[in-house]
Amino acid sequence: MQFKDIIGQRAVKQHLAEMVQQNRLSHALLFLGKEGSGALPLALAFAQLVVCQPAASEPVADLFGGFTPMQSGPAYIGPDEIANQSSFGRADQLIHPDLHFSYPVIPRKPGDKPVSTDYISEWREFIQQYAYGNVYDWLQFIGAENKQGNITAHECNDIIHKLSLKSFESEYKVLVLWMPEYLGKEGNKLLKLIEEPPPNTLFILVAENDEQILPTILSRCQLVKIPMPDDQEIEEALIGRAKASPETARQIAAIAEGNYREALQLLQHAEEDWQSLLRDWLNATLKGGPLAQIKFTAEISELGREKQKQFLRYFNHLLETSIRIRVLGNEKVHAGDQERDFAVRLNKIASVSQQQAIIEELDRASYYIERNANAKMLFQALTLKLYHIIQNKTLILNG
């Protein structure tokens, strides 16, 4: 994987390349980016850039500024030239002996004490197919079903052992630890290693939520913030990589809000008529009465969790479009004719404050769906809330 394979992130890529070129690396980096931002593939590309740097024939300045520079040191190999290195093929296939990985795993059977290397074949396949996937995708990929993944004390011991060994081929050993949020208090086992690592050892932690990381680990890492790609970058990726039509790509990019994983999920179900489904829901909510509402709730509960989330996200997108039309004017908002018409109709039945209240309820519902809430109960309750927000002009507030 190379920097050119990562969607957007031009400024971050340049910053990372300069850190290597100018020997300004910290021993521990934290790549912090929301789901779908590309933090994991960017970390992998960066790790491969580091391990593929040519080894020195004698002591020179390492990437961490540990030695005195000598004129005979190897030349820096940039992101655009790294594929020419003989070691790149192994790094690209994630089989380089000095490139290590850690990620949440589950026991294959009761009593097992799994470590990441037990799932290395699945990991390589997952990265090849779902580089922008999230931890839910990964756990489903390895058959976790409803099991909770973990990075355990046993895994921490394995990390300490692997990184205590001398590097095999590269000048550097690199560990990419994905989702440190899954490290419990056992993660404190890694503190000394992170603070005083063996020579030429680099930790790259990749996280989505820094608030869920052990503060003791967080304080020892240099933060690298990974922003979300913009709509134009997502649109171009959908057209160039996923072979979406320009119109479909534009619409999906507007809904996905920089989340490429979400964009790919939406593309899989691009044939879904979310607008008709939403029209049915609003009619059932405001005009149809209890029987129509129950019928709709039964129908949507059969769609499955991912489709339910996409449906709510689409409703949110239309509400946000409605607010922009109200504020900026119809002609200044980019939207398809059908979407624009629907958004204008939403403005007729709900004020800005009502629309904002609905958006909050939809976000909350998506959160509960991710945590396996009962779909029938959730959508029935949501339908009642929407009725009171719109019909009775009542804003539902958190208790």
Side-chain angles (χ1 to χ4, degrees):
M1 188 170 296
Q2 297 177 258
F3 278 4
K4 67 180 182 180
D5 300 319
I6 314 302
I7 299 169
Q9 311 299 350
R10 180 177 301 175
V12 179
K13 293 173 186 176
Q14 181 177 349
H15 174 62
L16 291 172
E18 290 173 353
M19 289 171 70
V20 177
Q21 184 178 17
Q22 299 170 13
N23 303 329
R24 292 190 292 107
L25 272 183
S26 167
H27 289 290
L29 302 175
L30 173 62
F31 283 44
L32 182 64
K34 295 181 180 179
E35 174 193 297
S37 64
L40 176 58
L42 184 58
L44 294 173
F46 181 64
Q48 291 164 15
L49 175 67
V50 171
V51 298
C52 290
Q53 292 300 311
S57 58
E58 55 183 294
V60 295
D62 67 16
L63 294 179
F64 314 105
F67 304 121
T68 301
M70 298 182 67
Q71 291 182 350
S72 58
Y76 162 73
I77 304 298
D80 294 334
E81 297 84 32
I82 202 68
N84 298 324
Q85 292 294 102
S86 60
S87 57
F88 178 76
R90 293 184 294 281
D92 191 42
Q93 297 176 53
L94 309 184
I95 59 175
H96 193 289
D98 298 313
L99 186 55
H100 307 283
F101 307 98
S102 182
Y103 32 79
V105 294
I106 59 167
R108 292 191 186 272
K109 59 183 179 180
D112 275 359
K113 294 182 178 179
V115 293
S116 295
T117 49
D118 295 338
Y119 288 88
I120 190 62
S121 296
E122 291 92 335
W123 175 251
R124 290 167 181 150
E125 186 178 354
F126 176 77
I127 293 301
Q128 185 177 16
Q129 296 182 27
Y130 308 105
Y132 280 76
N134 62 12
V135 71
Y136 170 80
D137 298 328
W138 162 243
L139 291 174
Q140 295 307 302
F141 190 81
I142 61 175
E145 296 179 351
N146 293 324
K147 296 177 184 176
Q148 175 70 45
N150 285 295
I151 301 176
T152 64
H154 198 58
E155 170 75 5
C156 293
N157 291 333
D158 190 58
I159 290 172
I160 294 170
H161 171 70
K162 285 188 293 191
L163 296 186
S164 67
L165 301 175
K166 186 178 180 180
S167 60
F168 287 87
E169 177 181 319
S170 172
E171 193 82 7
Y172 308 97
K173 293 173 292 184
V174 181
L175 172 74
V176 177
L177 194 159
W178 185 45
M179 299 303 292
E181 296 95 321
Y182 283 74
L183 271 170
K185 60 182 180 180
E186 296 84 359
N188 286 316
K189 285 177 171 283
L190 299 177
L191 293 183
K192 182 174 177 58
L193 185 65
I194 293 175
E195 194 164 20
E196 300 177 11
N200 292 1
T201 301
L202 173 63
F203 286 85
I204 305 177
L205 281 64
V206 187
E208 293 179 0
N209 187 345
D210 56 340
E211 295 180 357
Q212 296 178 10
I213 302 173
L214 287 171
T216 48
I217 290 181
L218 192 62
S219 64
R220 288 164 170 79
C221 297
Q222 177 182 343
L223 181 62
V224 179
K225 291 187 177 180
I226 313 299
M228 302 300 287
D230 61 35
D231 288 0
Q232 182 65 33
E233 291 167 339
I234 294 294
E235 182 178 339
E236 291 174 357
L238 289 172
I239 295 172
R241 303 182 184 202
K243 310 305 179 186
S245 69
E247 178 63 18
T248 298
R250 184 192 62 77
Q251 293 179 2
I252 289 177
I255 300 173
E257 298 178 341
N259 185 334
Y260 190 60
R261 174 192 179 271
E262 182 71 19
L264 293 176
Q265 292 281 333
L266 289 166
L267 184 61
Q268 285 183 2
H269 305 288
E271 74 283 356
E272 300 286 349
D273 190 355
W274 297 131
Q275 195 169 121
S276 294
L277 188 62
L278 177 57
R279 185 181 294 107
D280 292 343
W281 189 20
L282 291 175
N283 284 333
T285 300
L286 301 176
K287 300 178 181 178
L291 291 178
Q293 294 169 11
I294 291 172
K295 179 182 177 182
F296 172 82
T297 299
E299 289 176 357
I300 198 166
S301 65
E302 298 296 325
L303 289 182
R305 185 163 66 176
E306 286 301 320
K307 286 189 177 182
Q308 291 163 2
K309 286 164 54 182
Q310 289 168 20
F311 171 62
L312 294 178
R313 195 176 186 90
Y314 179 74
F315 191 4
N316 253 343
H317 164 66
L318 284 183
L319 287 167
E320 291 165 358
T321 302
S322 298
I323 294 174
R324 287 197 294 270
I325 288 176
R326 191 189 295 269
V327 173
L328 302 176
N330 205 335
E331 66 283 352
K332 293 186 178 181
V333 175
H334 297 289
D337 291 339
Q338 290 185 339
E339 283 192 355
R340 188 188 305 275
D341 180 67
F342 204 109
V344 169
R345 291 174 184 270
L346 287 174
N347 275 333
K348 293 179 180 179
I349 67 172
S351 65
V352 171
S353 60
Q354 288 172 306
Q355 290 169 344
Q356 290 175 334
I358 295 172
I359 289 172
E360 290 177 7
E361 292 298 332
L362 297 177
D363 287 340
R364 195 171 296 116
S366 294
Y367 174 87
Y368 291 134
I369 288 173
E370 287 183 347
R371 282 147 186 82
N372 295 315
N374 182 288
K376 284 187 178 180
M377 294 177 62
L378 184 145
F379 276 96
Q380 189 63 45
L382 186 56
T383 298
L384 294 174
K385 289 179 179 180
L386 294 187
Y387 176 84
H388 288 293
I389 290 173
I390 298 173
Q391 198 73 5
N392 296 339
K393 303 188 186 306
T394 301
L395 303 185
I396 305 298
L397 301 177
N398 287 335

